[in-house]
Amino acid sequence: MIGKKNQWSRRRFLMATGTAGLGALMAPVNRLATAAETPTRVPTRPFGKTGVDVPILSLGGMFNIASNQVMMRQALRWGVTYWDTADCYQRGSEKGIGKFFNKYPQDRQKVFLVSKSDARDPDGMTKLLNRSLKRMKTDYLDLYFVHGIYDIDELDDSIRVWAEKAKAAGKIRFFGFSTHSNMETCLLEGAKLGWIDGIMMTYNYRLMHTKGMKRAVDACVKAGIGLTAMKTQGGGSVRTDTDTEIEMAGRFLEKGFTDGQAKLRAVWQNPNIASICSQMPNMSILMSNIAAAVNKTELSFRDTDLLQRYARETHSDYCTGCTNICESAVGEDIPIGDVMRYLMYRRSYGDRHLAMAEFNKIPENIRRRLAITDYSKAERRCPQKMAIGQLVKEAIQELS
Ligand code: SF4
């Protein structure tokens, strides 16, 4: 139900969007920021102490389909020269990049190319790195990540030695890790290591204002670590179910942003974030994100406040990845955070294929245990007050 105080906001919102409502915001309509009106290249920022400037928007994820080849070419023209993939990404992501460099070998030098390893041992990492290089038709990577760490202990001294050797051999320029679990601790501890050049972490308007995250980012900045934000949409599009959602969507529309663009701008307002990695599966999302990147309109305090209010009101819809809290309550091999993330891929990103592929990588014996585990203790501990048991049940039904 819409409260009286927000009837004005609702009227204004509907006048602006027409009867199509928020759905209209998802298309790059004339009055929204579009790439066509801003043909300049995406701005750059220094990536930690590496001495490299990277574009504030990076192209992430899947490079496998034919139309992506055109998109990669266009991305380069607009200055989106930071490309992110991983050995384990489904559907031949690295091969798509290899196909591009095979056709345009001169463009390799223009790209800050990043891939990731699921292995945690030197032999396994060497094998995966060599495979990534071969697939992408290149003899070096600009940045190589250990993929998706939960705890800094996953990076022991053998990995430091491995990274130094890989750099000396000219196979990688910089080294680091990505994380979407326990991000604050991983960043804080990573900053202490002294041999991490870059980190990619889940970071968005829901997470960026907590004391813990601010402290973690500051520690990385002091350590000269380049930071790339991912999952910056914080779980999907704004709906129009509540007063706050309507007020927020209407306000952003008046500024010339979709809610997705406004969420990107919220992250960019922290100058310590070098780049946002965004999966951009089609040209209209690429153009929309580029438009947001080149637009100089700042979000006001009121805009940021609205985003934070929205985050508070929808807290139980969003898993913040603090897996050390819930997983220790049920036994360490029950991957609650992963299951919540796969559900987000399905429901918020609409990527059923990816969600199912990732979910079904969970070993069968653990998947069986997912269904019979008692999550009540984890639910009591969860700071987001998520209905973990019910959500796991739904994930099993939707993703198995
Ligand atoms: S389910 Fe709750 S406790 Fe577990 S990772 Fe998500 S937000 Fe944290």
Side-chain angles (χ1 to χ4, degrees):
M1 182 147 179
I2 309 297
K4 270 191 180 168
K5 69 183 170 64
N6 276 321
Q7 284 177 358
W8 175 80
S9 298
R10 180 176 173 77
R11 266 200 310 278
R12 194 171 57 169
F13 171 76
L14 291 172
M15 279 168 64
T17 60
T19 52
L22 189 61
L25 300 186
M26 302 315 294
V29 295
N30 286 343
R31 55 171 307 188
L32 299 176
T34 66
E37 73 195 29
T38 45
T40 48
R41 285 168 68 85
V42 168
T44 60
R45 287 182 183 174
F47 192 74
K49 63 179 180 195
T50 61
V52 177
D53 285 350
V54 294
I56 62 170
L57 178 66
S58 57
L59 188 57
M62 310 305 172
F63 298 92
N64 53 323
I65 53 176
S67 60
N68 284 3
Q69 297 290 312
V70 179
M71 210 171 76
M72 288 149 83
R73 192 105 195 102
Q74 194 55 48
L76 276 187
R77 288 196 186 109
W78 278 323
V80 183
T81 54
Y82 173 167
W83 295 357
D84 175 277
T85 183
D87 172 85
C88 64
Y89 285 170
Q90 297 290 307
R91 298 175 279 178
S93 176
E94 289 188 331
K95 282 186 181 170
I97 291 176
K99 189 174 168 191
F100 184 86
F101 288 141
N102 203 30
K103 191 166 179 193
Y104 305 106
Q106 71 282 5
D107 284 343
R108 171 64 191 93
Q109 300 296 323
K110 298 176 190 165
V111 175
F112 187 80
L113 186 61
V114 182
S115 192
K116 314 183 194 76
S117 166
D118 272 341
R120 303 290 193 263
D121 63 292
D123 287 347
M125 289 176 70
T126 300
K127 193 173 147 204
L128 291 188
L129 173 60
N130 288 339
R131 187 166 73 179
S132 293
L133 294 174
K134 194 172 169 196
R135 280 175 174 169
M136 291 192 278
K137 306 272 189 281
T138 181
D139 51 11
Y140 74 98
L141 294 180
D142 295 278
L143 176 59
Y144 198 49
F145 284 140
V146 173
H147 191 188
I149 69 163
Y150 294 75
D151 189 304
I152 206 69
D153 288 348
E154 293 174 58
L155 305 182
D156 64 18
D157 205 51
S158 70
I159 293 182
R160 177 187 64 77
V161 173
W162 181 92
E164 282 172 5
K165 282 185 184 164
K167 284 181 184 178
K171 290 188 173 184
I172 64 172
R173 294 174 68 200
F174 306 111
F175 183 78
F177 62 84
S178 66
T179 176
H180 28 60
S181 299
N182 309 316
M183 291 81 71
E184 295 169 6
T185 316
C186 289
L187 263 66
L188 275 174
E189 297 299 316
K192 291 179 192 163
L193 289 179
W195 45 275
I196 298 298
D197 303 305
I199 298 174
M200 179 159 87
M201 75 286 183
T202 303
Y203 185 88
N204 54 51
Y205 67 96
R206 294 179 185 274
L207 304 167
M208 63 190 285
H209 302 291
T210 66
K211 271 187 199 155
M213 184 58 91
K214 283 181 180 170
R215 201 169 65 237
V217 167
D218 285 349
C220 289
V221 170
K222 277 196 191 110
I225 295 172
L227 295 174
T228 301
M230 65 172 159
K231 302 194 168 47
T232 51
Q233 294 301 299
S237 300
V238 171
R239 301 183 300 266
T240 51
D241 298 347
T242 68
D243 292 351
T244 305
E245 287 161 357
I246 290 166
E247 186 181 348
M248 190 168 78
R251 191 174 171 87
F252 291 147
L253 179 64
E254 287 191 340
K255 286 202 135 172
F257 291 132
T258 65
D259 67 295
Q261 289 174 320
K263 289 172 183 174
L264 294 176
R265 287 234 59 93
V267 171
W268 281 319
Q269 280 192 199
N270 182 351
N272 293 321
I273 301 301
S275 191
I276 288 176
C277 181
S278 173
Q279 193 176 329
M280 297 180 267
N282 57 55
M283 195 66 87
S284 76
I285 294 177
L286 174 69
M287 289 173 71
S288 172
N289 286 359
I290 288 174
V294 300
N295 192 304
K296 295 199 170 39
T297 309
E298 294 285 323
L299 296 189
S300 65
F301 175 79
R302 176 82 184 122
D303 299 330
T304 310
D305 191 53
L306 262 176
L307 271 170
Q308 287 185 58
R309 198 205 305 167
Y310 172 70
R312 281 194 298 276
E313 288 177 5
T314 55
H315 63 88
S316 60
D317 293 342
Y318 184 74
C319 172
T320 50
C322 40
T323 55
N324 52 359
I325 295 176
C326 58
E327 294 180 7
S328 61
V330 294
E332 287 189 359
D333 56 352
I334 298 293
I336 295 173
D338 288 345
V339 173
M340 296 300 140
R341 190 152 37 85
Y342 305 152
L343 208 51
M344 181 179 75
Y345 292 159
R346 170 75 181 94
R347 293 179 172 180
S348 301
Y349 298 3
D351 195 337
R352 183 166 164 266
H353 184 100
L354 174 66
M356 291 182 76
E358 293 297 320
F359 182 82
N360 289 296
K361 278 185 198 165
I362 299 171
E364 199 182 334
N365 63 327
I366 294 179
R367 268 187 279 143
R368 273 201 301 271
R369 287 181 50 211
L370 280 177
I372 56 169
T373 296
D374 176 6
Y375 296 97
S376 52
K377 195 169 165 191
E379 287 178 353
R380 284 196 299 276
R381 288 188 185 175
C382 174
Q384 298 293 98
K385 302 289 171 226
M386 297 192 75
I388 298 172
Q390 178 60 28
L391 289 165
V392 170
K393 199 169 147 193
E394 289 169 14
I396 294 167
Q397 284 164 1
E398 290 177 34
L399 307 179
S400 286

